Amino acid sequence: MAKDVKPTRKNLMQIEDRIELSERGHDTLEKKRDGLIMEFMDILDQAQDVRSGLEENYETAQQKINMARAMEGDVAVRGAAAALKEHPEITTESKNIMGVVVPQIESSKVRKGLDERGYGVLGTSARIDEAAEAYEELLESIILAAEVETAMKKMLTEIETTKRRVNALEFKLLPELKENQEYIEQKLEEQEREEIFRLKKIKAKKEQEAKEEREAAEAAAAEGEEVVTAD
């Protein structure tokens, strides 16, 4: 790449400016990458807790529903589920973490009181109530897991993108720019040495010509004196 660059002082100044800008960009991206990794580790810890809680809530919900089916029968359980009138509401917003936009999921009407589930309290048992409550808690865990998992994936994608940019600057762009800088500096030094050598030759030639002119003038003057003496 260096051979394609004309060795001029203008190009050298432009490359030096690009090196300075690239180094600043590299430092900024490194700080961003490190900050993203720290944020990602926090989210990862949260995700592990959420996953653990989700698994526990799922097992509990399965146990509760199995118990309700065993005690009340599938018809009663399905009837209670079908009686639900008001479904959970999910809204999504966004928040910014180190320049990364991640979702923020808000839910409402997930947990309900006994009188809000739609089925008659007198026509069901505590087993169905416990199963309904367990699945409400499971749904909250699923919503939270969706938020955390999506944030984690977005953060990981941004980390990888930032790492590629840092590596591109560190191992490709900056080395090429510095190679060009070194190439131009060497060529300019060579041109300067050649110019100095050329100027020295010109000076030496002029001095030689001046010397020859002086010698010629001295010789002519000496001849003139001899002629005068002879007369």
Side-chain angles (χ1 to χ4, degrees), residues 128-140:
I128 292 179
D129 295 336
E130 290 175 358
E133 184 178 352
Y135 270 91
E136 289 168 358
E137 189 171 349
L138 175 61
L139 180 56
E140 286 186 337

Side-chain angles (χ1 to χ4, degrees), residues 98-184:
M98 296 288 295
V100 182
V101 179
V102 298
Q104 190 169 13
I105 303 175
E106 299 291 340
S107 61
S108 61
K109 300 180 182 179
V110 175
R111 289 183 179 268
K112 296 178 173 60
L114 292 175
D115 58 340
E116 296 174 325
R117 290 177 181 151
Y119 56 78
V121 178
L122 297 178
T124 58
S125 69
R127 299 296 181 184
I128 292 179
D129 295 336
E130 290 175 358
E133 184 178 352
Y135 270 91
E136 289 168 358
E137 189 171 349
L138 175 61
L139 180 56
E140 286 186 337
S141 298
I142 292 171
I143 294 170
L144 179 59
E147 176 182 324
V148 173
E149 292 286 341
T150 304
M152 189 169 64
K153 289 178 181 178
K154 284 183 172 289
M155 292 291 290
L156 186 59
T157 299
E158 187 66 20
I159 288 171
E160 292 299 325
T161 300
T162 305
K163 284 174 64 177
R164 285 196 296 270
R165 290 174 179 171
V166 169
N167 290 339
L169 286 171
E170 184 173 352
F171 300 111
K172 182 173 175 60
L173 182 59
L174 279 170
E176 288 178 353
L177 289 173
K178 290 180 179 180
E179 181 184 357
N180 290 340
Q181 180 188 29
E182 184 178 355
Y183 169 77
I184 293 177

